[in-house]
Amino acid sequence: MQRRTFVKGIAAASIMGMTTTNIEAKPTRENINNSNVLTGNEFFLDIDYTPVNITGKNAIATTVNGQIAGPTLVWNEGETVTLHVTNHLKKTSSIHWHGIILPTGMDGVPGLSFDGIAPGETFTYKFKVQQHGTYWYHSHSGFQEQTGVYGAIVIMPKKKEPFYYDKDYVVQLSDWSDEEPMEIYKKLKQMSGYYNFSQRTVGTFLDEVKEKGLSSAFSDRKMWNQMRMSDRDISDVTGYTYTFLMNGKNPATQFKALFKKGEKIRLRFVNSAAMTFFDVRIPGLKMTVVAADGNHVKPVSIDEFRIGVAETYDVIVQPTDNKAYAIFAQGIDRSGYAMGSLTPNVSMLASAPRMDPVPVLTHTDMGMNMSEMDQGGGMKCSSGMEMPSKKSMKKDKYADMESQKYPITQLPMKRGLNTDMMAMSPKYRLDDPGVGLRNNGRMVLTYADLKNIYSTSKDRKPDREIILHLTGNMERYMWSINGIKYADSKPLEFHYGERIRITFINDTMMNHPMHLHGMWSDLETGDDNHLVRKHTIIVQPGAKISYRVTVNAKGNWAYHCHMLYHMAGMFRKVVVA
Ligand SMILES: [Cu+2]
């Protein structure tokens, strides 16, 4: 895979000028200033087909203003913005402002907020900007996001921020495929492992035998086989078809962020990929995380962070040497990477570090707790093996979160063909960096490290709780919530003015980045005095997570997994009345 990515990169580099335009930033302290940035209060955005060559092959992208990524929009907190979006495609299109608090009619979800933008038409969005930080926008129609309809949003704060930096860059990560998204989706439907070549072979089995002995290797294997799952099921769509981009550039053409030695550089990471989680690090530099999903957090110094699809993180780095540093974002399944250089000189480029080994899912990722295996717990599977299920909930460090009791609103749940597994002992795993990042010798950010910089001790306690299971059937590539896919579901009813606790239990083996439109998600990380405010929350495989939502926005809202090919089923309409 590594070699393939490299080869693709070289091919693209040799046809420079045919690659998409993306001019290097020339930032100033409070102003992201490059030619791919639009500032002001009124914006004109054109969605259109654009020929691109990202991999060495000509392809047609759908773009905003002719570029991948689309222009970075810079807004000012407190001002009203007007955005005229014209659709030049042959199909309905839309722009959704991800993470932005606005009236439902401006949210840009066809069928929920408005009718969508018909071919040849212009829709004008207008709303007051009530927040600051790093966000993004994307099409909410079909698979247009996969083919390029996305860009970053930077909102300048009214008040001075509680940290200092000299330069400011957006680092927007994405995944590009020359294949039509519908083709990708069809292949996944036919064979969910189509793009995953990391699954175990006879060779790896023999290695395991050497390592663990025959019986233990065999029983491990037997268990996975009985569950018709693979412990290498990390990503559905991989570097086999994807080229990973940083600000529209592949690893050969490289995005470059310039610095002078000693300067503090703010990097605004945005994951605009359709399907790819990235593990981001800058070898040789500590990163100080200062914001998550646009909101300030207590600064935390780390070596690496995982960014789920649709999340954003702002970090500050201070390069100490006059050399090029790699901004390295490897795909969660290690099938490829996006990369750029943090460099004192545009002609000085960093080389890529080695990718980490392909991660292997563990019992933890299946919602099992090995220490409890003897007494019960584990994962139940419709097709075969059933784990003993005597309950033994040991007190753990998230016992407080575990013991919170609110009136629970029962929601319909269907187990059947739509679900082929179930986490028997789902745990809060906020301090778990996740599959592939555990014990890697680096300081990896976890949700437990995220603390709102402002106190939330006066925030209302939840009035009630709803529990939602993230469910799926890998074999049929069907995703759902509570075993019910969107098409068969009833809307979730939230009451205007209430505070609701949402608990997700992930019954699948994949990470799902859950995104609620229109309202903030206040994540419980074990410290009620500093609930961290997010718009997208990763629910790890076999895990459980809780957050609180103040229901302060009337209307219809989308609530869904942000993995593009999971969305059709793993989606709910929320009605606030
Ligand atoms: Cu998902």
Side-chain angles (χ1 to χ4, degrees):
M1 279 312 155
Q2 209 160 357
R3 194 175 153 272
R4 187 187 160 83
T5 307
F6 178 69
V7 170
K8 277 202 266 187
I10 295 295
S14 65
I15 37 162
M16 293 243 294
M18 292 193 67
T19 53
T20 55
T21 50
N22 208 311
I23 313 300
E24 310 320 332
K26 227 200 296 157
T28 59
R29 176 154 157 61
E30 292 295 336
N31 182 16
I32 299 170
N33 181 13
N34 77 35
S35 66
N36 200 17
V37 163
L38 299 176
T39 55
N41 292 329
E42 190 169 19
F43 300 85
F44 295 86
L45 301 177
D46 288 275
I47 304 173
D48 207 344
Y49 300 105
T50 304
V52 292
N53 192 317
I54 288 169
T55 63
K57 264 169 74 180
N58 292 321
I60 301 290
T62 55
T63 61
V64 179
N65 292 7
Q67 293 171 314
I68 288 184
T72 295
L73 307 181
V74 180
W75 302 343
N76 293 307
E77 184 181 6
E79 292 181 3
T80 294
V81 288
T82 306
L83 305 113
H84 310 280
V85 179
T86 303
N87 175 18
H88 302 278
L89 305 179
K90 294 190 187 91
K91 289 177 176 167
T92 299
S93 190
S94 56
I95 296 284
H96 162 62
W97 318 98
H98 186 106
I100 305 299
I101 300 299
L102 38 61
T104 176
M106 296 291 122
D107 197 43
V109 181
L112 288 187
S113 342
F114 74 147
D115 294 334
I117 312 170
E121 295 205 335
T122 301
F123 183 84
T124 297
Y125 296 83
K126 190 173 181 179
F127 49 87
K128 191 175 173 189
V129 179
Q130 312 167 50
Q131 63 204 96
H132 57 80
T134 307
Y135 303 88
W136 63 297
Y137 59 90
H138 60 83
S139 169
H140 226 288
S141 302
F143 295 129
Q144 290 166 16
E145 184 194 311
Q146 172 81 87
T147 49
V149 184
Y150 53 81
I153 299 170
V154 172
I155 309 175
M156 293 301 167
K158 255 189 193 163
K159 287 189 202 149
K160 211 166 179 260
E161 297 191 278
F163 43 81
Y164 176 87
Y165 56 94
D166 299 291
K167 285 191 175 118
D168 192 340
Y169 294 92
V170 168
V171 183
Q172 193 161 24
L173 303 169
S174 61
D175 45 24
W176 167 268
S177 172
D178 285 335
E179 286 186 274
E180 284 286 330
M182 196 42 101
E183 270 308 302
I184 296 178
Y185 192 59
K186 268 193 212 148
K187 284 177 182 165
L188 290 169
K189 277 282 193 193
Q190 279 158 11
M191 188 184 166
S192 61
Y194 185 89
Y195 294 100
N196 186 350
F197 298 97
S198 304
Q199 307 202 359
R200 291 194 179 180
T201 59
V202 177
T204 53
F205 179 64
L206 293 176
D207 291 343
E208 281 169 56
V209 172
K210 255 186 244 155
E211 202 182 298
K212 300 180 187 167
L214 182 63
S215 72
S216 138
F218 186 73
S219 69
D220 253 23
R221 181 64 68 95
K222 191 168 149 216
M223 183 184 79
W224 287 100
N225 283 347
Q226 276 176 327
M227 295 185 145
R228 293 186 305 181
M229 290 181 296
S230 161
D231 58 358
R232 304 288 168 97
D233 247 346
I234 311 291
S235 292
D236 308 328
V237 191
T238 67
Y240 175 68
T241 189
Y242 278 152
T243 298
F244 300 109
L245 305 180
M246 186 176 286
N247 290 346
K249 302 219 170 200
N250 66 32
T253 52
Q254 282 206 22
F255 162 68
K256 294 140 205 126
L258 287 172
F259 72 88
K260 289 201 195 89
K261 195 174 138 179
E263 277 180 333
K264 289 193 170 179
I265 312 294
R266 178 183 193 160
L267 300 173
R268 300 171 184 263
F269 286 92
V270 180
N271 187 348
S272 299
M275 287 295 281
T276 309
F277 277 49
F278 291 97
D279 294 335
V280 179
R281 63 196 154 100
I282 304 177
L285 286 184
K286 286 271 179 200
M287 297 183 276
T288 304
V289 179
V290 293
D293 288 3
N295 295 291
H296 292 152
V297 294
K298 288 190 177 174
V300 45
S301 172
I302 45 129
D303 299 316
E304 184 169 25
F305 63 89
R306 172 163 290 172
I307 186 166
V309 170
E311 288 188 304
T312 78
Y313 282 110
D314 290 36
V315 308
I316 292 178
V317 294
Q318 190 168 22
T320 43
D321 296 319
N322 257 323
K323 63 163 201 182
Y325 296 86
I327 307 171
F328 187 65
Q330 52 181 343
I332 185 175
D333 65 350
R334 315 302 181 228
S335 66
Y337 56 85
M339 175 178 158
S341 284
L342 183 61
T343 177
N345 179 334
V346 278
S347 61
M348 217 196 258
L349 294 185
S351 49
R354 279 174 80 105
M355 280 198 288
D356 290 333
V358 177
V360 176
L361 291 165
T362 66
H363 299 96
T364 305
D365 301 300
M366 303 173 60
M368 288 183 186
N369 183 327
M370 288 315 276
S371 64
E372 288 175 3
M373 280 298 281
D374 295 339
Q375 301 103 31
M379 175 84 91
K380 195 170 144 187
C381 154
S382 60
S383 59
M385 184 175 59
E386 190 169 325
M387 293 299 181
S389 62
K390 265 180 284 159
K391 278 277 166 299
S392 81
M393 295 301 274
K394 264 188 228 150
K395 283 253 171 190
D396 61 23
K397 68 187 100 174
Y398 296 113
D400 272 1
M401 286 164 57
E402 207 66 74
S403 67
Q404 289 186 38
K405 292 273 182 289
Y406 307 102
I408 291 179
T409 305
Q410 293 297 335
L411 296 168
M413 174 85 203
K414 226 169 110 186
R415 294 272 178 202
L417 277 180
N418 291 354
T419 53
D420 59 2
M421 50 198 290
M422 181 178 160
M424 294 300 283
S425 187
K427 291 269 184 247
Y428 289 109
R429 299 211 315 262
L430 293 145
D431 59 352
D432 175 6
V435 62
L437 292 180
R438 298 173 188 129
N439 309 312
N440 68 3
R442 305 189 284 263
M443 287 275 293
V444 182
L445 183 78
T446 68
Y447 276 178
D449 300 320
L450 296 178
K451 289 183 190 303
N452 200 323
I453 200 163
Y454 311 106
S455 170
T456 57
S457 61
K458 297 215 171 81
D459 284 14
R460 255 172 73 190
K461 293 280 175 280
D463 302 306
R464 62 172 176 133
E465 176 168 10
I466 61 173
I467 298 169
L468 295 166
H469 287 255
L470 300 174
T471 45
N473 180 323
M474 268 316 275
E475 194 112 323
R476 310 166 94 204
Y477 205 76
M478 278 174 58
W479 302 98
S480 52
I481 294 176
N482 278 5
I484 303 164
K485 60 184 200 292
Y486 179 47
D488 302 333
S489 73
K490 289 215 177 71
L492 292 171
E493 292 176 1
F494 291 5
H495 312 304
Y496 184 76
E498 72 176 338
R499 181 129 162 115
I500 196 165
R501 185 193 204 210
I502 295 163
T503 294
F504 274 115
I505 292 170
N506 188 346
D507 283 328
T508 79
M509 304 279 295
M510 290 214 165
N511 286 287
H512 301 288
M514 299 306 295
H515 173 46
L516 174 62
H517 290 219
M519 291 157 273
W520 287 113
S521 303
D522 297 332
L523 178 64
E524 294 178 14
T525 60
D527 180 357
D528 268 16
N529 294 328
H530 296 278
L531 298 172
V532 59
R533 180 151 268 199
K534 295 188 93 268
H535 50 59
T536 307
I537 307 250
I538 299 174
V539 192
Q540 294 197 41
K544 173 165 144 180
I545 203 159
S546 298
Y547 56 94
R548 301 170 190 183
V549 175
T550 297
V551 181
N552 55 6
K554 284 186 183 166
N556 296 336
W557 302 102
Y559 196 5
H560 61 93
C561 173
H562 222 284
M563 302 290 262
L564 192 61
Y565 303 109
H566 295 184
M567 231 174 95
M570 206 177 263
F571 191 113
R572 281 295 181 275
K573 175 181 178 175
V574 167
V575 177
V576 177

